[in-house]
Amino acid sequence: MTDYFKGIPAIRFEGPDSTNDFAFHHYNPDEVVMGKRMEDHLRFAVAYWHSFAYQGGDPFGGQTFERSWFGDSMALAKLKADVAFEMFDILNAPFFCFHDADVRPEGKDFAENTRNLEEIVDYFAAKMETSKTKLLWGTANLFTNRRYMAGAATNPDPDIFAFAAATVKTCMDATHKLGGANYVLWGGREGYETLLNTDLKAEADHMARFLHMVVDYKHKIGFSGTILIEPKPQEPSKHQYDYDVATVYGFLRRYGLENEIKVNIEQGHAILAGHSFEHEIATAASLGIFGSIDMNRNDYQSGWDTDQFPNNVPEVAMAYYEILKAGGFTTGGTNFDARIRRQSLDPEDLILSHVGAMDVCARGLKAAAALLEDGSLEAARKARYAGWETPAAQEMLKSGTLDGIAKRVLAEGLNPQPKSGRQERLENLWNRFL
Ligand code: XUL
Ligand code: CO
């Protein structure tokens, strides 16, 4: 037991009228929403990197946080793990997520990295025997170390491709050993800084080969979790190949991976790509590749990935509406890929950021579920397309030809009149549930 969170109580549901900051006001794990416990709907995860590895730096200034576990030794990595699992307990968090580099000290080579990771995985495994917190996903950090400055799977140097492949193997082993529900690949520097030195075609082929190896290895070791790609359009690379959900889907189809890999969609990345979060979720659901979400928000003025905790109920509600409509999470969940601000120095800031985010998501989920159960929005959507249910319309879709249709339009004197899309009416309907 560390004393890092000394004096901070376990967070429990007290209801919307409670004035206790250290309580949930809306997130009640056991409350049943659309036939399922809220905890099982939302599947919250704490992101190890932001909460325990982030030191408070920004492009203009370095470390602001002073944590007793900062440093590069196994003893400190274990202290970090102790604090992490204490926080998971305080929050009653069902899941966590990590990169290899978040949890183990950096070794001098691949062998030492692997030994360090294995030691920490054993340490986690022992803790997880008594903790309720499970692993939502593991991943490899293939972007921080300078060896990855020109990418990992897309690096022009085959030795770096090999180092990355070997590292992913160890991270998949770690995820498998800890019973992870998914394995994530975010293409941190899988992209380019300038086209002047980049062979786009070769890099795409190499990345696809890398992903096929990941899929093959998943089956080889019997990992039953889902492999997820996390799209992002840029940052740190000027251009990132996994730009958005539609781009990833095109890539997966091109290389025959669409039945093996799904997507982990991050709100901030959707915004950077010029989309809304719900657009990305709806797109993935319609393509059959929806997997999981990274829940955070960007600052809309700053134009970069600020990874802030969510605090906008209407935004979150739209996202959960699409998720519920798609049938909810299966192996996925809601990972808070979010960090406290660099001025938020205190242990309680780490806790309260999550408490607030969990409450915001709970409110969003409840609003979305109520709207879905009400059925008016879906009925309006269905009515808008009702014309397509007629046999003639279905026949046109099945076997219509341009000249055949032209003849019919002429013969029937077709002169269709436009109908209202009723956007404002539907927005008003939405607002009644928020
Ligand atoms: C970076 C990002 C990553 C991934 C995991 O923008 O979102 O933290 O979620 O590598
Ligand atoms: Co993310």
Side-chain angles (χ1 to χ4, degrees), residues 230 266 269 294 337:
E230 184 174 325
E266 175 165 327
H269 299 178
D294 273 8
D337 191 352

Side-chain angles (χ1 to χ4, degrees), residues 327-347:
F329 291 122
T330 52
T331 60
T334 304
N335 171 43
F336 293 118
D337 191 352
R339 60 174 180 266
I340 50 177
R341 300 300 89 188
R342 69 197 295 268
Q343 296 180 53
S344 301
L345 300 179
D346 300 337

Side-chain angles (χ1 to χ4, degrees), residues 49 99 137 139 143 184 186 230 232 266 269 294 305 337:
W49 51 103
H99 303 80
W137 46 264
T139 187
F143 43 91
V184 164
W186 168 58
E230 184 174 325
K232 187 175 182 181
E266 175 165 327
H269 299 178
D294 273 8
D305 190 7
D337 191 352

Side-chain angles (χ1 to χ4, degrees), residues 195-206:
L195 270 180
L196 296 178
N197 63 11
T198 301
D199 182 341
L200 279 180
K201 164 93 172 62
E203 294 202 359
D205 289 349
H206 297 172

Side-chain angles (χ1 to χ4, degrees), residues 147-226:
R147 78 173 65 87
Y148 296 122
M149 69 184 181
T154 62
N155 201 292
D157 180 347
D159 286 350
I160 292 174
F161 179 104
F163 198 102
T167 299
V168 166
K169 180 220 174 266
T170 64
C171 291
M172 289 178 72
D173 288 341
T175 303
H176 187 38
K177 186 161 184 186
L178 295 174
N182 308 271
Y183 184 83
V184 164
L185 296 126
W186 168 58
R189 294 180 195 272
E190 310 295 24
Y192 60 79
E193 291 302 321
T194 172
L195 270 180
L196 296 178
N197 63 11
T198 301
D199 182 341
L200 279 180
K201 164 93 172 62
E203 294 202 359
D205 289 349
H206 297 172
M207 192 160 87
R209 210 30 228 130
F210 194 98
L211 290 171
H212 270 288
M213 289 183 208
V214 167
V215 167
D216 290 347
Y217 191 64
K218 164 192 154 143
H219 294 303
K220 184 170 179 179
I221 61 177
F223 175 60
S224 58
T226 312

